[in-house]
Amino acid sequence: MKSSQPLQSVHLTRWRNGKAAATIWARVRVLYPKRKWLDPKRVLATPDDLLRGAGLSRAKTAALKDLAAKTIDGTVPSGRALLRMSDDEIIAHLTQVRGIGRWTVEMLLLFDLGRPDVWPVDDYGVRKGFAKTFGRRKLPTPKQLVKIGEKWRPYRSVAAWYFWRALDEPEKLQS
């Protein structure tokens, strides 16, 4: 990836969850006006104090700068390249970035890339939704879910979605 290519916003999904995170994200975006994407070179050139002033912790600042550096050096593939890669290849590349773990990449695969066979066995919501759906008192372990999930291959993303939805509050019917 050329260093002039923008950081892909999908890689920052983890930091944009929740109201407080949305506020912080908006403050970070103000540091780079009139830009659709964050430019990795600009991010690296931004003093840590400015990013911290926008609300990023030291750890998030370090992670954002590592993401920028690894975007420049090609560790983080372009969005176009991600579309051509297998799930395992994407996981291998992106988990090299500080602060990005397997779960974060699995959420990217599910929600941003629309991959049909992602099975996030470490996700608490999937585990809890499975237990609720099948009337189990104890949550399955990730290892148990790996084995159980084989029956839903190659559409485990759909199973994960249903388990998350199983935790939603039922809508009240109007009479």
Side-chain angles (χ1 to χ4, degrees):
M1 171 180 280
K2 292 180 182 172
S3 62
S4 62
Q5 286 184 308
L7 289 176
Q8 300 295 317
S9 65
V10 292
H11 301 295
L12 302 174
T13 301
R14 181 180 194 178
W15 296 330
R16 292 186 290 161
N17 295 328
K19 206 172 207 176
T23 300
I24 293 168
W25 178 244
R27 289 182 196 147
V28 169
R29 294 296 297 144
V30 167
L31 298 174
Y32 310 97
K34 299 180 183 174
R35 299 211 169 263
K36 185 175 180 180
W37 307 105
L38 298 184
D39 182 317
K41 285 182 179 178
R42 288 179 183 255
V43 170
L44 285 175
T46 303
D48 289 3
D49 292 349
L50 277 179
L51 293 168
R52 301 261 301 120
L56 291 180
S57 66
R58 279 186 175 79
K60 293 285 190 237
T61 297
L64 182 61
K65 289 205 169 191
D66 190 51
L67 175 60
K70 288 191 168 115
T71 298
I72 291 168
D73 76 15
T75 302
V76 174
S78 68
R80 188 170 280 150
L82 286 174
L83 295 174
R84 294 187 306 268
M85 296 170 73
S86 73
D87 295 354
D88 289 336
E89 289 172 319
I90 294 170
I91 291 167
H93 278 273
L94 297 183
T95 56
Q96 293 177 57
V97 177
R98 177 184 178 143
I100 296 180
R102 183 178 184 90
W103 179 88
T104 301
V105 181
E106 287 171 341
M107 296 306 108
L108 172 100
L109 291 168
L110 278 159
F111 297 110
D112 291 301
L113 299 179
R115 297 294 175 98
D117 194 37
V118 179
W119 189 226
V121 297
D122 292 310
D123 186 88
Y124 180 74
V126 169
R127 294 172 63 214
K128 189 166 176 70
F130 176 89
K132 181 179 179 180
T133 300
F134 291 102
R136 302 215 177 145
R137 288 185 182 166
K138 289 175 62 178
L139 299 183
T141 66
K143 187 176 181 179
Q144 290 169 326
L145 271 186
V146 167
K147 185 176 179 184
I148 292 165
E150 285 304 310
K151 68 177 103 182
W152 295 305
R153 187 183 290 273
Y155 302 107
R156 294 178 295 178
S157 297
V158 175
W161 183 84
Y162 274 104
F163 292 136
W164 283 316
R165 296 300 307 213
L167 300 175
D168 290 347
E169 292 292 322
E171 291 184 29
K172 303 269 192 236
L173 293 176
Q174 301 281 333
S175 49

